[in-house]
Amino acid sequence: MARLLASISFAALLLPSQAAFAQTAPSSAPSAGALQQSITFAIPPQSLSSGIVAFSRAAGIDLVFDGAVPRGARTSGVSGTFTVRDGVNRLLAGTGLSARFTNARTVQIVNPSAAGGVSGAAPSGAISLDTIDVQGETAWGPANGFVASRSATATKTDTPIIEVPQSISVVTRDQIEIRRNQTLNETLQYTPGVFAESSGMQHSGPTFQIRGFSAVPADGPIFLNGLRTINNGDIEPFGLERIEVMRGPASVLYGQNQPSGVIALVTKRPTEGPVHEVQLRGGSFGQKSGAFDFGGPVTEDRTLLYRFTGLLREGGNGIDFSNDQRAFVSGAVTWRPTDATELTAFSLFQKDKGRWNYGLPAQGTALPNPNGRIPVTRFIGEPDLDYNVTERAVVGYNLQHRATESLTFRQNLQYARENWDYRNATPIGLQADLRTLDRSYETLRASWDTFAIDNQAELKTTTGVLHHTVLFGVDYRWRRYNSLGLWGGVASPIDVFAPVYGQPVLISADNYGSRQTQNFPGIYLQDQIKLDRWILTFGGRHDWAESKTVNAFSAAVTNQNDRAFTRRAGLGYEFDSGVVPYVSYSESFMPVSGTTFDQVPFRPKPERSTRQASNTSRMI
């Protein structure tokens, strides 16, 4: 893997720079035909900054800000069919701002009353600066700084976070870089409502709780680029653009899931500007790593973009005998055959190797122990026998086609293959002397194959004074899980104050395992409605869950078929201050695999959540 990453990164450095990163020269004059072209807009009243971004996306033009947009400025929206010029005038009506077209794709927004504006003379001694072209943030792209303004996790649409009636936190790329996060556990340590590392410091196993509910990958909260294909293990933060956490039930959009919420991972996407980054790092406990990140346009017209990222890391984590190793590589290509169609295909591969950290007994760490304190670096397993290896490969694409200015179709598809192989000496508890730790031994070899697809139709329309963003979707997920392992193997006790490793361990034959196949189709409908400053969101979904489990030893077959209808509603009001108080109601649906003692399949129990809270555009 090291030779592979080295050769690929060297090849990427040799790409012809002129062909790969050429810039298209802007037009010197506006095109009269482009400015007079009629476009149907459905932009509801909202803050001016978000309205400008929405207009830019609808009209396919770039916006240039001369100074800052006045704080608290709002637009009355643009609804109907207008030329680009007339649409801009309606967008800025009553704001005191004006616009002028510098070329066929660029509109400069200016404040005539501001000192040093376009029409005014520059103060004596002022330095003339180049115009800054501000590109609007999207829910699937990078955010500038620590605070993201848009999210797709709660609505599956490109929506300002301020308008979402559910609690959301976004960890941006800049925050990941500043904190030098190496695992998902580290990335979410400062996220409100999330208890990261709930099972101790793990290099390759995210262990979260959200609002007290389990949120480990096996329970289904982790989504990669909008789909649930990750069932086990970590995802390297260096390969991610953003990580979003939505707290609370989310079955209306995502189907079967814990009431904890959703952890949405967005991988690095191809960029229109060139990216050339190479990292070499070293740190405590023998940490050393190398990484690269390349991206940019392949063609001059930017219809073909690429992104290629990789990392190798190895080193200790502060626990004796722990040497964590990681190899990660990902690639993505964006193709824009027309102005209305965009296809981004991506893939990633990651392999982790280390040892599981079970933590230490409470007596001797958090609580007193007559024998003294246990060193925090103590390893309580067997160094010569224990290992933990995870491996995953994911391939997929995100397709978007804008049929009209108000109707957009999207299709997201993924396939993932994951493997997990471990052997661990597992702690049971301290004996009466409070220094001898009883242990057992366990092994597991497991694999997951997951296929997921989500088809969406988004319609922006207006009925009277109501502005709608309607989302209709049909999704499907198929998963096959195989496992074989040993539970309750014999391992000799160990003295946690003076450990002697290499004592007898009996690893007998496998005594448990299963083969499971699951099918999860679902259909959902959502409507986001705006009436002046009122924001209403409601939706419903019907799920079907089919599961077949075969015991690997007895060949007993358990079939489970469940279905449920879940609901969600939220209402908020946007004040000039940027605060949006809201009330929301949401439900979750989670089938439970297995049977009772009488061999009766478990029945799912829906969970509901009612919240009253407020969003603010200035909150991190």
Side-chain angles (χ1 to χ4, degrees), residues 165 535-537 569-573 580-585 610-613:
I535 305 168
L536 172 64
T537 302
L571 178 65
Y573 184 85
V580 180
Y582 69 85
V583 58
S584 67
Y585 172 88
T610 302
R611 296 284 174 187
Q612 291 183 348

Side-chain angles (χ1 to χ4, degrees), residues 22 72 76 79 110 116 140 164 179 192 236 260 262 268 290 405 434 466 477 481 514 518 573 575 579:
S76 298
S79 297
V110 298
W140 301 279
V164 176
R179 295 182 53 220
E236 170 56 41
S260 54
V262 167
K268 288 182 175 178
E405 290 301 326
L434 295 183
L466 302 179
R477 181 167 58 93
Y481 169 65
S514 65
Q518 297 174 308
Y573 184 85
F575 288 95
V579 175

Side-chain angles (χ1 to χ4, degrees), residues 132-164:
I132 299 176
D133 187 2
V134 181
Q135 303 292 333
E137 176 191 340
T138 69
W140 301 279
N144 185 22
F146 277 28
V147 182
S149 63
R150 307 184 74 84
S151 169
T153 301
T155 62
K156 289 190 177 180
T157 62
D158 190 357
T159 301
I161 296 177
I162 197 72
E163 299 179 6
V164 176

Side-chain angles (χ1 to χ4, degrees), residues 235-250:
I235 295 293
E236 170 56 41
F238 184 72
L240 300 177
E241 194 65 66
R242 57 166 66 195
I243 301 173
E244 303 186 5
V245 176
M246 180 177 68
R247 290 167 283 272

Side-chain angles (χ1 to χ4, degrees), residues 378-379 381-383 439 492-504:
R378 180 72 73 231
F379 181 68
E382 286 295 328
R439 302 181 299 173
S492 300
I494 190 171
D495 188 336
V496 294
F497 291 94
V500 177
Y501 301 105
Q503 299 186 57

Side-chain angles (χ1 to χ4, degrees), residues 403-537:
T404 67
E405 290 301 326
S406 58
L407 180 61
T408 301
F409 295 100
R410 287 187 289 267
Q411 183 182 78
N412 302 324
L413 180 146
Q414 279 181 42
Y415 170 77
R417 169 75 177 184
E418 301 172 280
N419 294 295
W420 188 18
D421 184 9
Y422 75 77
R423 299 195 311 188
N424 294 318
T426 308
I428 298 176
L430 287 174
Q431 296 182 5
D433 61 1
L434 295 183
R435 65 179 304 137
T436 304
L437 180 69
D438 289 326
R439 302 181 299 173
S440 64
Y441 210 83
E442 62 182 60
T443 67
L444 176 66
R445 300 175 305 284
S447 66
W448 293 263
D449 291 276
T450 307
F451 170 81
I453 186 170
D454 187 7
N455 303 284
Q456 306 168 12
E458 178 184 325
L459 175 65
K460 293 182 179 293
T461 185
T462 300
T463 57
V465 296
L466 302 179
H467 301 271
H468 302 263
T469 299
V470 181
L471 181 70
F472 173 75
V474 178
D475 59 21
Y476 172 75
R477 181 167 58 93
W478 170 87
R479 188 181 78 161
R480 180 175 61 197
Y481 169 65
N482 295 313
S483 66
L484 278 175
L486 164 68
W487 178 261
V490 179
S492 300
I494 190 171
D495 188 336
V496 294
F497 291 94
V500 177
Y501 301 105
Q503 299 186 57
V505 173
L506 177 60
I507 305 177
S508 56
D510 296 334
N511 57 16
Y512 77 95
S514 65
R515 300 186 301 274
Q516 187 177 68
T517 303
Q518 297 174 308
N519 293 279
F520 301 108
I523 183 171
Y524 56 91
L525 180 66
Q526 173 186 268
D527 193 3
Q528 298 168 258
I529 304 173
K530 298 194 71 174
L531 172 60
D532 191 22
R533 301 189 179 192
W534 290 97
I535 305 168
L536 172 64
T537 302

Side-chain angles (χ1 to χ4, degrees), residues 144-365:
N144 185 22
F146 277 28
V147 182
S149 63
R150 307 184 74 84
S151 169
T153 301
T155 62
K156 289 190 177 180
T157 62
D158 190 357
T159 301
I161 296 177
I162 197 72
E163 299 179 6
V164 176
Q166 202 153 346
S167 180
I168 293 181
S169 296
V170 180
V171 180
T172 66
R173 178 75 241 159
D174 287 345
Q175 183 174 343
I176 295 173
E177 285 293 332
I178 291 295
R179 295 182 53 220
R180 303 298 190 210
N181 299 136
Q182 296 185 351
T183 65
L184 289 182
N185 278 328
E186 293 178 354
T187 304
L188 298 183
Q189 282 177 334
Y190 294 99
T191 302
V194 179
F195 177 25
E197 297 184 342
S198 59
S199 295
M201 184 182 65
Q202 309 299 343
H203 171 73
S204 60
T207 53
F208 305 121
Q209 288 184 0
I210 302 178
R211 290 181 172 173
F213 291 97
S214 173
V216 298
D219 291 331
I222 295 183
F223 287 74
L224 182 69
N225 291 340
L227 294 173
R228 176 184 169 184
T229 59
I230 303 300
N231 301 278
N232 178 66
D234 200 60
I235 295 293
E236 170 56 41
F238 184 72
L240 300 177
E241 194 65 66
R242 57 166 66 195
I243 301 173
E244 303 186 5
V245 176
M246 180 177 68
R247 290 167 283 272
S251 287
V252 166
L253 291 179
Y254 295 100
Q256 306 79 23
N257 208 345
Q258 290 276 5
S260 54
V262 167
I263 300 173
L265 314 179
V266 179
T267 58
K268 288 182 175 178
R269 303 294 183 92
T271 59
E272 292 191 357
V275 175
H276 297 116
E277 179 181 2
V278 176
Q279 294 183 2
L280 293 175
R281 293 179 178 176
S284 54
F285 308 112
Q287 284 278 343
K288 52 185 178 292
S289 68
F292 64 85
D293 187 13
F294 303 116
V298 178
T299 58
E300 292 187 2
D301 59 1
R302 302 184 184 181
T303 58
L304 190 62
L305 314 172
Y306 84 99
R307 192 72 175 264
F308 190 49
T309 307
L311 174 140
L312 283 173
R313 183 168 60 238
E314 181 178 6
N317 57 22
I319 307 299
D320 296 340
F321 307 107
S322 295
N323 184 50
D324 299 324
Q325 302 173 19
R326 170 168 292 178
F328 171 85
V329 63
S330 69
V333 175
T334 295
W335 179 42
R336 298 166 177 168
T338 68
D339 291 340
T341 304
E342 179 175 294
L343 172 67
T344 297
F346 64 92
S347 63
L348 67 84
F349 173 82
Q350 181 172 322
K351 184 173 183 178
D352 294 307
K353 185 175 182 180
R355 293 187 175 91
W356 193 262
N357 171 33
Y358 282 99
L360 296 170
Q363 291 94 343
T365 52

Side-chain angles (χ1 to χ4, degrees), residues 77-137:
V78 184
S79 297
T81 303
F82 306 99
T83 64
V84 174
R85 187 183 301 277
D86 290 341
V88 170
N89 291 335
R90 287 177 176 269
L91 181 76
L92 300 180
T95 65
L97 304 178
S98 61
R100 65 185 183 92
F101 288 78
T102 59
N103 59 52
R105 291 183 52 84
T106 305
V107 178
Q108 186 173 15
I109 299 176
V110 298
N111 188 345
S113 63
V118 172
S119 59
S124 176
I127 300 175
S128 178
L129 300 178
D130 293 336
T131 299
I132 299 176
D133 187 2
V134 181
Q135 303 292 333
E137 176 191 340

